Amino acid sequence: MSANRSRPTLALAATAALLFSLSGCNSKPQLSNLMDSFGKAEVQASPEVWDEHTVGLPFVFGYDEGLAKAKAEGRPAMVFLTTTWCKWCKRMSATCLQDPEIRTLLEQNFVLVLVDGDQESAVKRKLKNTGYPHIVFISPDEQILASQNGFAEPDAFKQVIVQALSTS
């Protein structure tokens, strides 16, 4: 294929990505983020970038690291699949993860794992991620105990935590 023929295809792909980005947290909102699908490596976000997501809770960054800690401690994990740009993830953190009862339940019973969906695509496929936020409670041997797809209010999220605790 000649270089001139590929330019309209790239322009069409970029336009489509921009339109899909307007639909919410199921797609990336910035055209610059599309570049990874064309072979450009993305930059790993620093822990400070995640402050709005972690809200002071002791998260382990990365699926492999988090599951290794869960296995070592013999405790289930709460895997928070998110992105730096997801407004609903930040809102869920601000409401649910700031709730004192939820914080206590999570800190006492789970290894908290933050997974950057833009970086760990194999984990997204493994956990059947379709959008953000996506929270999966998982046993140390990687059996799914419960999950929450999308934003939830604190009372609804507490029910998911209780379900995870009852099946662990």
Side-chain angles (χ1 to χ4, degrees):
M1 182 184 300
S2 72
N4 290 338
R5 286 179 147 178
S6 66
R7 286 187 185 150
T9 303
L10 289 174
L12 181 60
T15 302
L18 183 58
L19 290 174
F20 285 121
S21 72
L22 300 175
S23 65
C25 289
N26 289 331
S27 60
K28 296 179 184 180
Q30 299 174 2
L31 185 59
S32 62
N33 285 339
L34 177 65
M35 295 306 294
D36 67 337
S37 61
F38 293 106
K40 178 183 171 189
E42 291 188 49
V43 177
Q44 184 85 21
S46 65
E48 297 79 34
V49 171
W50 296 108
D51 286 349
E52 283 183 278
H53 294 77
T54 61
V55 293
L57 287 168
F59 276 88
V60 175
F61 293 90
Y63 185 81
D64 292 338
E65 294 84 353
L67 263 288
K69 182 174 181 179
K71 287 176 185 178
E73 294 181 9
R75 296 186 332 153
M78 182 195 85
V79 179
F80 185 7
L81 281 144
T82 185
T83 63
T84 57
W85 48 264
C86 176
K87 68 179 181 181
W88 288 104
C89 300
K90 293 174 187 178
R91 183 172 174 203
M92 190 155 175
S93 292
T95 57
C96 292
L97 300 185
Q98 293 282 31
D99 180 279
E101 186 179 349
I102 289 175
R103 289 178 78 87
T104 299
L105 284 170
L106 294 177
E107 287 182 297
Q108 289 179 353
N109 297 290
F110 300 96
V111 172
L112 306 178
V113 182
L114 188 134
V115 173
D116 183 345
D118 285 336
Q119 294 292 320
E120 296 194 55
S121 56
V123 175
K124 285 177 22 178
R125 285 189 299 276
K126 180 178 193 165
L127 299 178
K128 297 174 178 54
N129 173 255
T130 59
Y132 303 104
H134 186 194
I135 297 176
V136 181
F137 293 89
I138 192 166
S139 68
D141 62 349
E142 300 187 62
Q143 299 300 311
I144 294 177
L145 306 171
S147 67
Q148 172 63 46
N149 287 301
F151 176 82
E153 293 291 343
D155 287 339
F157 188 57
K158 282 177 198 171
Q159 292 176 1
V160 176
I161 296 169
V162 169
Q163 178 188 355
L165 288 171
S166 70
T167 57
S168 65

